[in-house]
Amino acid sequence: LIGRRLMMSFMDARIKRELSGILNWTLTGLYRLRENQAFTVPMAAENIKANYKRMTSPISAFMEDCCEVGPLCESGCSDVYEAFCAWAADNGHALMAKALLGEKLRATNPAISSGRKGEAEGRYRFYRGVQLNGDGLAYSDEWRAKKGAKTR
């Protein structure tokens, strides 16, 4: 009990000596918080968050690996679906219906929309706001070759 009291009085004296530094450190943090309008997130935490997102959202991971996103981007729905199927097979994810893939793409990025192009028999569906990058095109070709369809 006496040792505990002695230790507490030592800690009280030590903390009192550091109070101005603690206050300055706190005010600096408050200033940074107000300036950034957000807490500073360590890079390690950002990496953990990105890895968690990839593990829990295959669509986000697919888009990161195989797509480019932007208002001028366009890709045929079938091309994107074929790329997703090959990518999912390579990465241990379940396949899904083409319509469900479209819904999940739009849920991941609301700027993505779909439409139709062409006339009569040459009509096809496409996504606006997303397009396959080089890896995505390679996956699409891989899936077509696997299914015996014509590649690019």
Side-chain angles (χ1 to χ4, degrees), residues 50-72:
N51 288 337
Y52 180 76
K53 185 176 180 182
R54 283 187 67 84
M55 289 181 348
T56 59
S57 176
I59 300 300
S60 293
F62 167 71
M63 289 181 65
E64 185 179 313
D65 291 350
C66 299
C67 300
E68 295 173 16
V69 178
L72 302 178

Side-chain angles (χ1 to χ4, degrees), residues 127-148:
Y127 292 117
R128 191 177 297 113
V130 66
Q131 72 185 26
L132 296 174
N133 62 19
D135 291 338
L137 291 169
Y139 273 122
S140 180
D141 287 345
E142 176 187 321
W143 190 256
R144 286 181 182 177
K146 192 175 187 180
K147 297 297 178 189

